[in-house]
Amino acid sequence: MSAPMQAGPATREITPRIARLVVAGLALVWAVPFWWMLVAAFRPAGSGADASLLPSLTPTLANFAEAWASADFPLYFLNSLVICAGILAVQLVTASLAGYVFARLEFPGRGFLFGLFLVQLMLVPVVLLVPNLKTVAALGLYDTLPGVMAPYCATAFGTFLMRQSFREVPRELEDAAMIDGAGWWARIRLIYLPLTKPALVAFSIVSVTSHWNEFLWPLMVINSPDRRPLTLGLASFTLSAEGMQAWGLIAAGTFLVSLPLLAAFLIFQRRFVNSFLASGIK
């Protein structure tokens, strides 16, 4: 019998090289729309090169000034900030408490209840639109910012992440705190939360990003123009700009909406990556 063939050094070197080329190609495809947005946003109006990917030799900020004056972006920013901060504040509390319960407390049916709780991860969000809308209207929260936040007060993903993180904390630390007379809330606040900070940061990034970009649910709940988040404000602004075929204006408005998340990622890039690696999120 012949000995099994082994990959030579050349083959082992080619495989990572191909993988890097594939990743670079995918990154290039992803970056093309973003690059066009930047080029169009800084291109002077009436240049006649709306579809070009080549930057203008005379860039201008006129599109940004006109976009800022054409829509109430400061109010839209404030509404989105209130929604994202409010949702995140409630989710951190509920996910931490539920994660502690499922990770450390012993009670009959714990595994079944946890599995039942995770069922919502398998549901398509569109399926819950009508029931959530009826509930929000019955609570008198229709056309309000708390109405946008209400369905997200509990999070299956956050609970699962915190449960897994809390299970990694040595029980000896909690036992020592109990001997010293610490209650359950003190144990969570002084032991579990500090030791699972990477998971909290990773979940915060996911939560803020998803709700900052959310469009369909706020569209169902919000009617008043002064309560629109950035996504709805940008959609309204885009509809008016499309009628004039002002693509540079649309690109400038889109860039304004995405700028906070881009700036946060560039500033805290290392912390973002470290948090995801430490928490195990892929």
Side-chain angles (χ1 to χ4, degrees), residues 27-259:
L28 181 62
V29 172
W30 176 89
V32 168
F34 182 75
W35 173 250
W36 179 88
M37 179 186 70
L38 287 177
V39 171
F42 288 96
R43 180 181 293 120
S47 61
D50 292 330
S52 175
L53 293 177
L54 299 178
S56 173
L57 298 178
T58 57
T60 178
L61 295 176
N63 289 326
F64 291 96
E66 186 175 354
W68 189 264
S70 301
D72 198 353
F73 279 106
L75 181 60
Y76 300 155
F77 272 107
L78 179 61
N79 290 338
S80 289
L81 184 62
V82 170
I83 290 172
C84 292
I87 291 175
L88 179 60
V90 175
Q91 284 183 337
L92 289 178
V93 175
T94 57
S96 298
L97 294 179
Y100 175 79
V101 169
F102 286 122
R104 291 306 191 212
L105 299 187
E106 300 288 344
F107 56 90
R110 183 181 68 170
F112 173 76
L113 289 177
F114 181 65
L116 192 63
F117 192 80
L118 293 182
V119 167
Q120 67 169 289
L121 286 176
M122 308 176 190
L123 296 177
V124 181
V126 178
V127 176
L128 303 176
L129 282 178
V130 174
N132 286 341
L133 189 61
K134 290 182 177 179
T135 303
V136 166
L139 294 174
L141 298 177
Y142 184 75
D143 197 24
T144 64
L145 297 185
V148 179
M149 306 178 205
Y152 304 106
C153 291
T155 163
F157 170 71
T159 300
F160 173 78
L161 181 62
M162 297 313 299
R163 172 185 178 269
Q164 298 304 109
S165 299
F166 286 167
R167 287 167 65 92
E168 298 297 323
V169 176
R171 276 189 176 271
E172 290 77 8
L173 298 176
E174 184 177 11
D175 294 338
M178 291 176 63
I179 294 175
D180 291 338
W184 63 270
W185 173 244
R187 298 197 298 271
I188 295 175
R189 182 170 58 88
L190 300 177
I191 297 177
Y192 284 98
L193 293 183
L195 293 178
T196 57
K197 188 178 295 184
L200 291 172
V201 174
F203 172 71
S204 299
I205 295 169
V206 173
S207 176
V208 170
T209 302
S210 61
H211 296 116
W212 186 272
N213 295 324
E214 190 168 15
F215 175 78
L216 185 56
W217 174 243
L219 179 66
M220 299 285 292
V221 178
I222 298 298
N223 279 332
S224 302
D226 60 337
R227 296 187 178 95
R228 291 173 178 168
L230 274 171
T231 49
L232 296 187
L234 177 63
S236 177
F237 166 77
T238 301
L239 287 176
S240 61
E242 279 182 349
M244 302 180 295
Q245 294 186 349
W247 305 115
L249 196 61
I250 295 174
T254 306
F255 184 78
L256 288 175
V257 172
S258 58
L259 182 60

